Amino acid sequence: MTATATVGATALSPQQREAFERDGYLMIRGALDSDEVARYSAALDRVYAEEQDAGRLGPRDPMHKLSAVTSVPETADLLNHPNTFHYVWSMIGWNFHVYHSHVDVHPTVREKRPFRFEWHQDGGRQNREIETDPRPRLSVKLAYFFSDLSEPGRGNTKIVPGSHKWNRIDGPPRRDIEWPDPPGAIEVTGEAGDVLFFDRRIWHARSDNHSEITRRVAFFGFTPRWIRARDEVEDLPNRPWWNDLDPVQQQLLGGFAPTGDHGWGHYPDQTPVYRWLADRDLLDPDYPPLKP
Ligand SMILES: O=C(O)CCC(=O)C(=O)O
């Protein structure tokens, strides 16, 4: 760390890293202030209303909209927020982008829904096509809470702490067959403005919102640039807001990574997150993803 280091420009402490390696998640309390929470909530509500006006959502439907920044451009500031960004680069270095993101609005569920076993690790086929045990981390995710999720029953994310090293859990033969939560499962609770940071391998599931509070959350999954994005990124440089982004945000949305070697990280000096870390003396010869 240099004398000029700013908020967020400090690596996670050894204790925080150890806790993340052990539990597979960390809570970042109070990452957003109340003005930020209000701004992002309003932005998600606007898009929710637009989806309803377009007939894509019914009156009390949940919204799960992919490509967070494409869907809600205001959320670009959450890509490298000073209170969360260091969690991401401390664990996965500089050569990464957002591969999968979504904004979710979950109103109260009034009627019992058919059972569906939702427990999963992120990464889809990564979990079938990689042969190691445990599988590699490959990606981490931030979940920004814009609603008060401090009590269970509000559609909270369920996780099994420490399960990121398990390649499988017991589950039903079909997803619609009722099955208990895995042993050790908890509902993650947090205030509006808190952020859940998790290893993609942690077993997790969404839950139904039985409270009167509408649940609003934005999720950003970060992975090395040599894994391709699931989000829509092709046309982003032509969007009216693209030039308002800083170079780090542009990298995270697929800029600076045309096809070919650059996108694979062959030119660190031309890669904004690398430059950002190098300028602050935050590269770390002892940690492979951050080796200068
Ligand atoms: O909405 C949730 O709580 C869970 C989200 C989820 O399953 C995921 O981000 O992969």
Side-chain angles (χ1 to χ4, degrees), residues 62-131:
M63 180 176 85
H64 174 64
K65 206 158 163 47
L66 301 177
S67 306
V69 177
T70 308
S71 300
V72 188
E74 292 92 328
T75 62
D77 287 338
L78 299 174
L79 294 169
N80 56 345
H81 192 283
N83 294 337
T84 62
F85 191 45
H86 56 303
Y87 285 74
V88 180
W89 62 255
S90 288
M91 298 314 304
I92 63 170
W94 56 271
N95 190 25
F96 63 88
H97 62 171
V98 170
Y99 81 111
H100 176 52
S101 60
H102 40 103
V103 285
D104 294 16
V105 175
H106 285 95
T108 311
V109 173
R110 299 264 175 228
E111 280 145 30
K112 188 166 162 46
R113 294 192 310 135
F115 180 83
R116 191 168 163 77
F117 190 79
E118 298 275 9
W119 287 92
H120 65 282
Q121 297 179 301
D122 278 348
R125 293 201 63 89
Q126 290 175 344
N127 299 308
R128 300 190 185 189
E129 297 175 14
I130 293 177
E131 69 280 12

Side-chain angles (χ1 to χ4, degrees), residues 197-215:
F197 175 60
F198 62 101
D199 184 314
R200 65 141 193 120
R201 300 168 297 176
I202 202 166
W203 287 89
H204 60 285
R206 67 185 63 230
S207 66
D208 281 347
N209 178 9
H210 297 294
S211 75
E212 294 304 316
I213 293 171
T214 297
R215 176 201 190 232

Side-chain angles (χ1 to χ4, degrees), residues 1-275:
M1 194 178 121
T2 64
T4 56
T6 52
V7 177
T10 309
L12 292 188
S13 68
Q15 293 77 12
Q16 285 173 307
R17 274 177 188 278
E18 201 182 305
F20 189 70
E21 296 288 2
R22 182 190 62 229
D23 301 333
Y25 78 106
L26 289 170
M27 282 306 293
I28 312 170
R29 302 284 177 194
L32 304 181
D33 66 28
S34 54
D35 288 347
E36 291 173 292
V37 168
R39 185 150 44 90
Y40 294 119
S41 294
L44 263 62
D45 285 352
R46 183 194 71 232
V47 173
Y48 185 82
E50 286 168 5
E51 292 293 297
Q52 286 187 325
D53 291 347
R56 288 189 285 269
L57 288 180
R60 299 208 59 80
D61 280 351
M63 180 176 85
H64 174 64
K65 206 158 163 47
L66 301 177
S67 306
V69 177
T70 308
S71 300
V72 188
E74 292 92 328
T75 62
D77 287 338
L78 299 174
L79 294 169
N80 56 345
H81 192 283
N83 294 337
T84 62
F85 191 45
H86 56 303
Y87 285 74
V88 180
W89 62 255
S90 288
M91 298 314 304
I92 63 170
W94 56 271
N95 190 25
F96 63 88
H97 62 171
V98 170
Y99 81 111
H100 176 52
S101 60
H102 40 103
V103 285
D104 294 16
V105 175
H106 285 95
T108 311
V109 173
R110 299 264 175 228
E111 280 145 30
K112 188 166 162 46
R113 294 192 310 135
F115 180 83
R116 191 168 163 77
F117 190 79
E118 298 275 9
W119 287 92
H120 65 282
Q121 297 179 301
D122 278 348
R125 293 201 63 89
Q126 290 175 344
N127 299 308
R128 300 190 185 189
E129 297 175 14
I130 293 177
E131 69 280 12
T132 61
D133 189 354
R135 300 184 186 101
R137 177 182 292 126
L138 294 182
S139 70
V140 294
K141 209 166 192 179
L142 292 170
Y144 287 89
F145 299 177
F146 308 131
S147 305
D148 177 359
L149 306 177
S150 57
E151 302 284 337
R154 297 182 177 178
N156 314 55
T157 306
K158 295 188 284 188
I159 62 170
V160 181
S163 63
H164 54 303
K165 302 281 174 66
W166 307 348
N167 271 13
R168 65 175 301 282
I169 57 169
D170 283 340
R174 270 198 350 247
R175 280 175 172 262
D176 58 353
I177 294 176
E178 295 237 13
W179 198 267
D181 282 344
I186 61 166
E187 290 192 29
V188 176
T189 52
E191 308 279 345
D194 289 353
V195 177
L196 166 65
F197 175 60
F198 62 101
D199 184 314
R200 65 141 193 120
R201 300 168 297 176
I202 202 166
W203 287 89
H204 60 285
R206 67 185 63 230
S207 66
D208 281 347
N209 178 9
H210 297 294
S211 75
E212 294 304 316
I213 293 171
T214 297
R215 176 201 190 232
R216 299 178 189 83
V217 184
F219 290 84
F220 295 88
F222 302 86
T223 203
R225 294 192 301 163
W226 32 264
I227 294 175
R228 69 187 294 169
R230 295 174 62 188
D231 275 359
E232 284 173 39
V233 291
E234 281 78 15
D235 193 35
L236 294 191
N238 295 323
R239 305 284 166 130
W241 41 263
W242 179 260
N243 290 329
D244 296 333
L245 304 182
D246 67 37
V248 165
Q249 293 167 342
Q250 291 182 349
Q251 173 186 325
L252 301 188
L253 294 179
F256 298 91
T259 53
D261 284 352
H262 196 340
W264 270 54
H266 283 213
Y267 308 109
D269 271 334
Q270 298 168 37
T271 305
V273 179
Y274 184 93
R275 286 257 40 95

